[in-house]
């Protein structure tokens, strides 16, 4: 796929501690915070109906559970390869939002990584970053 | 002099307190973004557990070693060094980590299975949630059909509206909107303390 530039955040899954205790193992049934995985807004038609990235002007290809993407932080230049394990993020809820580090900015949420994956490219305390996805 | 110091060797040395091993700036910092530069992306299988990342509830703390029980049943031993960065609502020190805290840690696995930590995050959460109501420094959230109370912390909490620089004024967060809350879980409760809230203005 052509490189997609967007925002990247992180989410917990796998019935871990705190508010993650009830999140379950995601739409694919395999999601766990300690695994190198991600959520994708077009993992199924039902998923697309929730996330609707098209309402933000983004058309994303249908990619299903287990498909591999590589996410590169536009702040650190570091990359992580992950597989789809859940549906998300809900792109439509943050249309037009921008995330920047210095003069580098990207808009719209299209990538959500597990804590294990996100912390390979950024500190978890950053929360939201511009990225490139291939 | 051209000397290459392997990160694992350095962390191991720091963790074991080996003589002659210095931490921090002499060989570069232990910040995760620096440490990660040495890890090849292709070395790890996508979809699989990351052996250099720990997740769990803190069960005990003995000197500089945290024992945590992972949600998948893994019993983690996480060793903190003088170069480990610690976060608990804000950047802080190891003595603020407590039994019962939720833990994420990234570092390098030592030969004995211990994780020598570059970074430790205590109770950190990053919730995408719906704002149900707002009252007196409390933002009531719906997160996966669970109610969460997010406390605005004076002097700490910040708001980012549409990607603009963070400000301390959270009053523009709107009821019935969708937000992202980066914060610290209060153990044993359905409450969090807000570090940063991302919202539309």
């Amino acid at each position: 796929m052509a490189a997609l530039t967007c925002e990247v955040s992180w989410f917990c899954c796998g019935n871990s501690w705190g508010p993650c205790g009830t999140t379950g193992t995601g739409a694919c049934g395999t999601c766990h915070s300690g695994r190198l995985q991600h959520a994708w807004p077009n993992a199924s038609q039902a998923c697309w109906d929730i996330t609707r990235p098209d309402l933000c002007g983004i058309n994303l290809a249908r990619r299903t559970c287990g498909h591999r993407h590589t996410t590169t932080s536009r702040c650190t230049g570091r990359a992580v390869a992950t597989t789809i394990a859940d549906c998300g993020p809900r792109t439509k809820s943050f249309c037009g939002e921008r995330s920047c580090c210095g003069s580098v900015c990207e808009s719209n949420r299209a990538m959500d990584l597990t804590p294990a994956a996100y912390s390979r490219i950024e500190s978890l305390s950053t929360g939201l970053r511009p990225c490139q996805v291939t | 002099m051209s000397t290459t110091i392997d990160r694992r060797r350095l962390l191991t040395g720091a963790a074991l307190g080996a003589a002659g091993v210095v931490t921090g700036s002499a060989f570069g910092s232990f910040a995760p973004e620096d440490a990660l530069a040495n890890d090849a992306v292709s070395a790890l299988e996508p979809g699989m557990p990351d052996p250099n990342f720990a997740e769990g509830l803190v069960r005990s703390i003995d000197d500089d070693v945290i024992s945590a029980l992972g949600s998948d049943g893994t019993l983690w031993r996480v060793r903190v060094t003088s170069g480990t960065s610690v976060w608990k609502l804000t950047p802080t020190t190891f003595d603020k980590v407590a039994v019962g805290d939720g833990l994420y840690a990234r570092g390098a696995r030592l030969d004995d299975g211990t994780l020598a930590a570059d970074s430790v995050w205590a109770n950190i959460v990053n919730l995408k949630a719906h704002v149900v109501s707002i009252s007196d420094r409390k933002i009531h959230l719906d997160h996966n059909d669970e109610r969460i109370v997010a406390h605005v912390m004076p002097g700490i909490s910040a708001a980012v509206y549409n990607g603009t620089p963070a400000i301390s004024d959270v009053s523009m967060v709107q009821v019935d909107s969708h937000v992202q809350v980066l914060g610290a879980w209060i153990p044993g409760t359905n409450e969090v303390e807000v570090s940063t809230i991302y919202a539309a203005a």
Side-chain angles (χ1 to χ4, degrees):
Chain A
M1 84 181 216
L4 165 73
T5 54
C6 60
E7 296 175 303
V8 57
S9 188
W10 63 270
F11 72 109
C12 65
C13 57
N15 298 328
S16 184
W17 45 265
C20 194
T22 56
T23 54
T25 51
C28 301
T30 60
C31 195
H32 190 278
S33 294
R35 292 183 181 170
L36 298 173
Q37 296 173 318
H38 68 278
W40 183 246
N42 193 7
S44 67
Q45 184 60 50
C47 174
W48 176 268
D49 290 343
I50 296 169
T51 62
R52 295 297 306 271
D54 58 310
L55 298 179
C56 305
I58 306 174
N59 276 307
L60 300 175
R62 174 73 45 81
R63 296 287 184 249
T64 54
C65 297
H67 183 87
R68 173 176 167 160
H69 285 110
T70 297
T71 304
T72 304
S73 165
R74 297 213 58 213
C75 304
T76 66
R78 289 178 186 112
V80 63
T82 54
T83 56
I84 295 174
D86 201 357
C87 169
R90 206 162 85 163
T91 313
K92 69 177 183 184
S93 296
F94 296 93
C95 265
E97 178 194 60
R98 291 204 322 163
S99 173
C100 302
C101 49
S103 61
V104 177
C105 300
E106 299 297 349
S107 294
N108 299 318
R109 297 175 181 229
M111 176 57 71
D112 240 355
L113 298 172
T114 58
Y118 190 92
S119 64
R120 287 191 64 79
I121 61 172
E122 290 281 355
S123 172
L124 295 178
S125 60
T126 59
L128 184 69
R129 282 299 202 216
C131 75
Q132 182 180 69
V133 179
T134 55
Chain B
M1 185 177 80
S2 173
T3 304
T4 300
I5 301 294
D6 175 76
R7 173 171 161 260
R8 183 179 301 272
R9 244 185 63 209
L10 180 59
L11 276 170
T12 304
L16 298 178
V21 175
V22 295
T23 59
S25 60
F27 302 108
S29 80
F30 281 141
E33 54 273 26
D34 295 331
L36 290 172
N38 293 330
D39 291 337
V41 173
S42 59
L44 294 170
E45 185 66 24
M48 300 303 288
D50 185 337
N52 297 317
F53 181 85
E55 167 275 323
L57 270 173
V58 176
R59 297 182 68 182
S60 65
I61 301 173
D62 297 307
D63 295 326
D64 57 356
V65 176
I66 302 168
S67 293
L69 180 62
S71 57
D72 62 354
T74 302
L75 186 57
W76 290 96
R77 285 170 50 83
V78 177
R79 187 175 295 275
V80 174
T81 74
S82 59
T84 304
S85 67
V86 180
W87 188 97
K88 188 174 180 178
L89 187 60
T90 61
T92 186
T93 50
F94 176 47
D95 60 301
K96 297 295 190 295
V97 180
V99 172
D101 282 349
L103 176 89
Y104 294 128
R106 174 162 287 288
R109 288 288 282 273
L110 307 180
D111 291 341
D112 66 355
T114 302
L115 186 78
D118 299 313
S119 294
V120 167
W121 299 272
N123 298 330
I124 191 167
V125 295
N126 194 29
L127 310 174
K128 287 80 173 186
H130 193 77
V131 178
V132 176
S133 63
I134 301 173
S135 64
D136 190 28
R137 291 181 181 166
K138 293 178 184 176
I139 302 172
H140 299 266
L141 304 170
D142 182 327
H143 175 251
N144 295 334
D145 296 325
E146 299 284 332
R147 288 300 171 92
I148 303 285
V149 179
H151 296 272
V152 176
M153 307 298 289
I156 295 175
S157 300
V160 173
Y161 300 103
N162 291 333
T164 55
I167 58 175
S168 60
D169 180 7
V170 301
S171 66
M172 286 184 280
V173 174
Q174 297 173 357
V175 173
D176 206 28
S177 66
H178 211 69
V179 296
Q180 173 185 340
V181 175
L182 181 74
W185 171 56
I186 301 172
T189 72
N190 65 340
E191 301 177 22
V192 301
E193 295 173 328
V194 177
S195 171
T196 305
I197 185 166
Y198 299 83

